[in-house]
C-alpha cells in the first residue's frame, strides 16, 4: 500500500517560502540548461464552447530520479467570477516505485515558482544596488512578484504598481502594505517602467514597455506573454538589451517578445545571450557593465514545477503537513 500526500493552497503558501523557492529554482535552472532535467514542450487543447484550455507539463530529473506532471486549466472568464484564471494540480511520483507520491495545488505552486524565478533572474542579472521595483499588472503574479522581490532585495525602497483595473490595483496595494509593512504605491505606467527592476505580468498582446522609458542599467522581467503573437516589450527595447531566457528552444517558438522582433528582421537567434541556467553555471556572462540593460523572458517550464514541488514535499514531510490518503 502506498500513501498520497495532498497539499492545499494554504499548505503551499505556508511551506513554499520565497527563500526556499528561489533556492529550488537555482537548482532547477542549472539542471535544465545542463541537461540533467528535461521537459518537453507543453501541450494544450481547447476546451468546449470557448471556455479556455487544458494544458499538461511533464518533467523528469536525473537527480533523485524525480518525475512529475502539472495539469492546468486556463479560463479567461474566471477573474470576473472572483477566481484565478489559471487553476490545476501538480502530481509528483515516487522515485523508486513510480507510485503517486504527492498531489498539490498547482496554481499556488505556479504563482510562487514563477515569481521566484524572476527574483532569481533579477539577483543574477540586475545591478546589486536596486532600490525600486515597478510592476505592470494587478493579478496573482503581480502580488507574488512584489513579495518575491521584497524577499530577494531587502533594501528595496519602494514597489510601484500599475494596472488597467484601478480598483484591482488599489486593492492589491492596500493588501501588500498591510502584509509587508513596506512602501507600496499605485503609479502610472511610465513611472513603473523607469524603476531599477521592472516586472511585466500582464495579459497584454501589444507592448507596454518602451525603450525610451526604461533607465540605463535597469533589469526587466517579461512574464505575462507566452504566445508567439503577443508581447509586453517593444522591439527597440529587446534590440537594445542583453536578453536571457529560461529555455532557448521554447523561447524561439513561443515568446512573442522575441519572435516578433525576429520576424521584423531587427534581431536573430544570436541576440539571445543564453539561458538563465547557463549564467548560473558560468557558461554565459550576464551583466557586463552598470549601464547594461538586461531582460529575462520567462515562459515557465515544468522543471521549475518539479523542483518547487520537491522542495515543498520535503518541507511538508518534515512538518507533518498535508492529508495522507491510502492508495
Amino acid at each position: 500500500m502506498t500513501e498520497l500526500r495532498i497539499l492545499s493552497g494554504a499548505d503551499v503558501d505556508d511551506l513554499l517560502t520565497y527563500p526556499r523557492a528561489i533556492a529550488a529554482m537555482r537548482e532547477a535552472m542549472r539542471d535544465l540548461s545542463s541537461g540533467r532535467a528535461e521537459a518537453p514542450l507543453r501541450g494544450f487543447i481547447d476546451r468546449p464552447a470557448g471556455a479556455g484550455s487544458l494544458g499538461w507539463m511533464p518533467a523528469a530529473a536525473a537527480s533523485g530520479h524525480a518525475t512529475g506532471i502539472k495539469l492546468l486549466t486556463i479560463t479567461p472568464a474566471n477573474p470576473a467570477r472572483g477566481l484565478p484564471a489559471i487553476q490545476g494540480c501538480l502530481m509528483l511520483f515516487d522515485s523508486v516505485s513510480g507510485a503517486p507520491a504527492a498531489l498539490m495545488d498547482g496554481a499556488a505552486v505556479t504563482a510562487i515558482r514563477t515569481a521566484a524565478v524572476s527574483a532569481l533572474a533579477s539577483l543574477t542579472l540586475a545591478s546589486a544596488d536596486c532600490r525600486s521595483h515597478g510592476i505592470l499588472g494587478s493579478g496573482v503574479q503581480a502580488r507574488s512578484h512584489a513579495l518575491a522581490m521584497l524577499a530577494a532585495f531587502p533594501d528595496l525602497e519602494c514597489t510601484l504598481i500599475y494596472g488597467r483595473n484601478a480598483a484591482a490595483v488599489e486593492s492589491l496595494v492596500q493588501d501588500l502594505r498591510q502584509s509587508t509593512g513596506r512602501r507600496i504605491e499605485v503609479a502610472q505606467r511610465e513611472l513603473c517602467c523607469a524603476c531599477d527592476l521592472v516586472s511585466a505580468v500582464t495579459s497584454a498582446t501589444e507592448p507596454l514597455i518602451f525603450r525610451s522609458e526604461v533607465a540605463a542599467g535597469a533589469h526587466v522581467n517579461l512574464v505575462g506573454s507566452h504566445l508567439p503573437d503577443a508581447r509586453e516589450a517593444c522591439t527597440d527595447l529587446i534590440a537594445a538589451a542583453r536578453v536571457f531566457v529560461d529555455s532557448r528552444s521554447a523561447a524561439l517558438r513561443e515568446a512573442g517578445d522575441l519572435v516578433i522582433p525576429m520576424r521584423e528582421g531587427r534581431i536573430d537567434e544570436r541576440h539571445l545571450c543564453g539561458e538563465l541556467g547557463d549564467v548560473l553555471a558560468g557558461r554565459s556572462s550576464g551583466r557586463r557593465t552598470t549601464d547594461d540593460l538586461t531582460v529575462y523572458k520567462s515562459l515557465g517550464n515544468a522543471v521549475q514545477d518539479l523542483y518547487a514541488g520537491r522542495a515543498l514535499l520535503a518541507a511538508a514531510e518534515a512538518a507533518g503537513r498535508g492529508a495522507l490518503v491510502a492508495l
Side-chain angles (χ1 to χ4, degrees), residues 157-198:
E157 296 172 357
C158 66
T159 300
L160 306 181
I161 303 178
Y162 162 81
R164 291 175 297 179
N165 186 329
V169 174
E170 183 63 37
S171 177
L172 174 62
V173 165
Q174 293 298 331
D175 174 63
L176 287 169
R177 281 178 182 166
Q178 293 176 7
S179 62
T180 67
R182 304 288 290 275
R183 182 187 167 194
I184 318 286
E185 304 287 348
V186 178
Q188 294 299 311
R189 182 190 59 78
E190 296 86 350
L191 289 177
C192 292
C193 292
C195 288
D196 300 325
L197 297 171
V198 181

Side-chain angles (χ1 to χ4, degrees), residues 81-132:
R81 304 181 179 112
L83 297 171
I86 300 176
Q87 300 189 78
C89 60
L90 173 63
M91 175 75 78
L92 300 187
F93 298 89
D94 184 83
S95 60
V96 177
S97 69
L103 179 67
M104 51 194 69
D105 186 315
V109 171
T110 300
I112 294 172
R113 68 83 162 151
T114 302
V117 176
S118 293
L120 175 63
S122 301
L123 287 168
T124 306
L125 301 171
S127 295
D129 59 349
C130 292
R131 293 294 182 270
S132 59

